[in-house]
Every structure is written in C-alpha cells, then in structure tokens.
Amino acid sequence: METKGAGRSLAWLLATWGVTRVVLLLFVFQVYVFPGPDVTSDVSVIYRGWYEVLRQGTFPLDDVTWQYPPAAALPVLAPAALPFLSYAHAFFALAFFADAVVLALLLYPSRRPGRSLRGAWVWVAGVPLLGPTVYARYDVMVTAVAVAALVAGARHPRVMGALTAFGALLKVWPALLLVGALRARAWWSAAVTAAGLSALFSVSMPGAFAFLTFQRERGTEVESLGALVFHVARHFGWQGQVLLNYGSIEFLGPHVGQVSAAALALTAAAFGWLLLWRLRAARRAAHTLAEAAFTAVLLFTVTSRVISPQYLVWLIGLAAVCVSYRASQMGAPALMVVAASFVTVLEFPLGFSHIVLSDRYGVLLLAVRNGLLVAASLTAARRLWRSTVPPAPAAPLPPRPSRPRRTTVSP
C-alpha cells in the first residue's frame, strides 16, 4: 500500500511538472504573450549580441552589461548545439532541459532512507511562479550545476568541489556552497578546478575577468532591499532618478552611494556571521551542507545591491535540496521563498511599471517580497545555528553557605 501511494505521488509530481513547463514554453515561444514587458528580449537581443562577439574568440569588453565570470560564455554559446532552431528558441529549449535535470537530481535520492519528494515538489511548484523569466535567463542552468554539487557533496566531495568551482565561474554565487563543506578534498578540488579553468579562459580569450570592474561600478537596483529607502524617499521630495545603468534599472542621485555602501557592509556582516558559525558549529548531519549553502545564499541575496527576479531560481533550487531531507529544519524558509517567488512575478514583469514609478502598489509589492526574503534569511540563520551550535554550558551556581547549627542549652 505504501509503495502504491508513493507511485501515485510521483505520478502527480511528474504530471504537474509537465503541465507547468509546457505553459512556460508556450510563453517564452510567444504562442501566448505574458503580460508586462517582454522578458525574452534579453535572450534574443542581449545574449544573441554576446554570442556573436564570443564566437570571434573574445569577451564583449565594450559592453558594460557583460558582468559575468568567464564560464558564462558557455551557456551563451550553447544554442549553437541546436542549429536547427533559432538562437532564442534553442536557448529556451536548453533552459527547459536544465529544469528537467534539476528535477531528476532531486528525484534520484528521494527513495533513500531519510529522504522524501518534498524537495522535488518545492522545485516543481516554485519555478513556474516566477513566470517565463525563469527560461529567459541562464540562471536555471547555473542552479542545475549547484544542485548537482550539493547532491554529490555527501558522498563525493571531490565532485562537489569541481562542480562548485565550475558554478562559481558561471555566476560567482555557487562558491557559497562550500560554506558547510568540512572535507578538505572538496576545497582542494574546487581550488584546482577554479585555477585550471581560469587559466584556460585567460589564455584562450582576452578579457576573461573584466567583469570585476563592471560589477564594482554598479549602484542600487530598484528591486533591492536598499532601494526601498529611495522608493519611500521619492514621496518626500528626494531628487534622484531611475535610469538604465550597467544593464539594470537603478537609482541614481543623492545618498545612493551611502545606501550601496551600507549594503556592502551588511554583506560583510553576513560573511562574518557565517565565519563565526563555521567556527562554532559542532553538530553535523547529512542535511547540514545543504542548509548552510541555502542560508549563505539567502543572506548574500538580501544584502546585495541587486535582487533580480531570476535570483529566486537559485533560492528555490537550494531550498528544494534542503527539504528533500525529512530531518531538515528549513521547511518554513523554503515556503517563504516560494511565496516570495509568487510576489516576484507580480512585481516583474506584471507590475514593473509600478516599481519604476515608486507608486504605492509598487512599494507594497516590493516591501512584501523583500520582507519575505529577509524573514526567510533570519529564520534560516537561526535554525542553522540552533541545530549545529551547542548551547554554552550554564555557569555553575556558587555553593550555598552552610548555616551554623543551633544548639539548645537545657535548663
């Protein structure tokens, strides 16, 4: 009976994945038009332009919107593997394939003791809530690499290290997966892989690390946590602007530099907390590696100067790995991330004009979305600490002074 119930649950899972993904494909192939700005233009215009430059053997050094590590060239060039499709259609097909890979990675260990289908359900339900944006960016491909690294981490630390390094060279953030890695083999494998691939890209294609300069010049993007300061300030006479800057819509004007500096300070504080956690953590379980990675990426996402909609794909993938363990403490943060994904599609692309105008509806959407992410971050950090750091031993009570015995003198 239990096997029959598990089979029925898997069938529902696969059916839900199939239906929701067909809907996403219909939107990105523009059989049906999703409301709001055209999210597929990044692929057909920006990615396609990079593709033409990368084919010449160099990075797009004259384009400040190229702000990615050198291995990002691979997903941009990958549509060439499907020459029978147009560039954009081939990219969407590869994004769909990466989505399927993540599902397979979550299903593979689900029958082991202590594992369940909950993680797969988080992925199946969470991804379509972001709308067609999820297939119109290469983040789903990076997430597939990160999920593969975490799935391999418990038994194959060298494989995890290599995949983590490769993911970091795709989009930096997968480097945070190593926060919870204890085995030196994972770190050595990551270092060797990163050094080898970096050298290969540096020798073969000029300008492999020019993205570091472009990233340094970024401001406060309108969807970030710090941007709420200026969304509210605009209603009280703040004299700044909202402009396309370095590939994203950002606030420019008085005090933007201070808010961006505050965001960097919060990121440094998050790094310090993670370092303290690593030094204090004494209790480890099979799911600790995934929970540490999820918490680290959450903290660095909410403190970033940029929170683009596609960043939620990373969080959904890592949350899914966490809750695939029955003993995981990350159920509540995972649900918050899924809820934030739904609010994200309401603000982009559906309500992005309200965000740009900083009207009340736009500010409310952004406050709810970012509030959910902050709550998820704090909850995840608290639960990670409680489950891994033993409480400090209570100080022994001082001995109570003995009272002198009273003696009775008989008359």
Side-chain angles (χ1 to χ4, degrees), residues 37-263:
D38 180 14
V39 300
T40 66
S41 62
D42 275 29
V43 176
S44 57
V45 178
I46 298 176
Y47 285 17
R48 180 59 192 266
W50 292 341
Y51 170 80
E52 296 297 339
V53 175
L54 290 166
R55 287 178 62 194
Q56 308 304 315
T58 184
F59 289 94
L61 303 179
D62 296 329
D63 187 350
V64 294
T65 62
W66 175 262
Q67 299 172 11
Y68 307 105
L74 300 179
V76 174
L77 290 169
L82 302 175
F84 48 88
L85 294 175
S86 68
Y87 179 86
H89 289 177
F91 185 91
F92 302 145
L94 292 171
F96 169 79
F97 176 73
D99 182 357
V101 167
V102 174
L103 179 64
L105 289 167
L106 293 169
L107 289 176
Y108 175 71
S110 63
R111 293 183 180 273
R112 296 176 186 168
R115 306 296 285 272
S116 74
L117 289 174
R118 290 188 307 168
W121 272 113
V122 167
W123 179 256
V124 168
V127 165
L129 292 179
L130 289 169
T133 303
V134 73
Y135 281 179
R137 307 290 187 272
Y138 82 92
D139 295 80
V140 67
M141 304 172 188
V142 184
T143 303
V145 175
V147 170
L150 288 178
V151 170
R155 298 186 176 188
H156 307 285
R158 289 192 181 92
V159 175
M160 179 200 173
L163 288 172
T164 298
F166 177 57
L169 287 172
L170 283 169
K171 206 164 187 181
V172 180
W173 68 266
L176 295 170
L177 304 185
L178 290 171
V179 164
L182 286 178
R183 300 184 185 181
R185 285 176 290 177
W187 287 85
W188 278 110
S189 176
V192 171
T193 303
L197 290 176
S198 297
L200 179 63
F201 278 110
S202 297
V203 170
S204 60
M205 298 177 70
F209 293 95
F211 77 98
L212 295 171
T213 301
F214 298 154
Q215 280 284 352
R216 189 176 63 241
E217 300 299 329
R218 297 197 72 160
T220 297
E221 190 255 348
V222 294
E223 296 166 277
S224 65
L225 182 63
L228 283 168
V229 174
F230 300 110
H231 283 297
V232 174
R234 291 176 84 182
H235 293 273
F236 295 92
W238 178 71
Q239 299 298 315
Q241 294 178 297
V242 178
L243 297 173
L244 179 64
N245 188 51
Y246 288 94
S248 64
I249 306 297
E250 298 180 353
F251 281 113
L252 299 175
H255 310 297
V256 173
Q258 290 91 319
V259 171
S260 295

